Amino acid sequence: MPQVRQENGLLIAHWAGSSAAYRVQLSDNEAFSPVLASHIVAANETRLIAPAPGSYWLRVIALDANQQESAASPAAPVAVATVFKPWWLLPLLIL
């Protein structure tokens, strides 16, 4: 199962494996219907721009040298937090 953390507006995911490439997919439900983002990476780590705050799922599919897919990894739950922006405090800084 991929390990995912949120940092500076990014989702950073990593997993164990030694395949030629990986397909990384993000969805807002565990059934992955629809897939919101999907891309192929050559390493066992990727960085995605964090989507809007909410609950998501991320999974990884290993690809061999012929681009044949393995079974998908178990889906990892991802909670994208709301970034607190205390804009209402700005007038107090002027005083």
Side-chain angles (χ1 to χ4, degrees):
M1 176 184 307
Q3 303 295 314
V4 185
R5 71 181 191 279
Q6 186 176 350
E7 184 178 302
N8 298 325
L10 297 173
L11 295 180
I12 302 170
H14 66 277
W15 55 91
S18 59
S19 290
Y22 300 91
R23 181 182 312 278
V24 180
Q25 296 181 324
L26 182 73
S27 182
D28 59 2
N29 63 72
E30 198 171 4
F32 284 83
S33 179
V35 172
L36 301 177
S38 179
H39 67 278
I40 295 175
V41 296
N44 58 351
E45 180 177 291
T46 191
R47 295 169 185 257
L48 304 158
I49 296 173
S55 297
Y56 297 90
W57 298 87
L58 186 135
R59 69 181 178 187
V60 176
I61 300 167
L63 303 173
D64 66 16
N66 296 318
Q67 299 295 302
Q68 296 296 312
E69 296 185 352
S70 71
S73 70
V78 178
V80 177
T82 302
V83 178
F84 178 65
K85 296 181 181 179
W87 58 267
W88 50 269
L89 287 174
L90 289 176
L92 296 176
L93 296 174
I94 296 171
L95 298 175

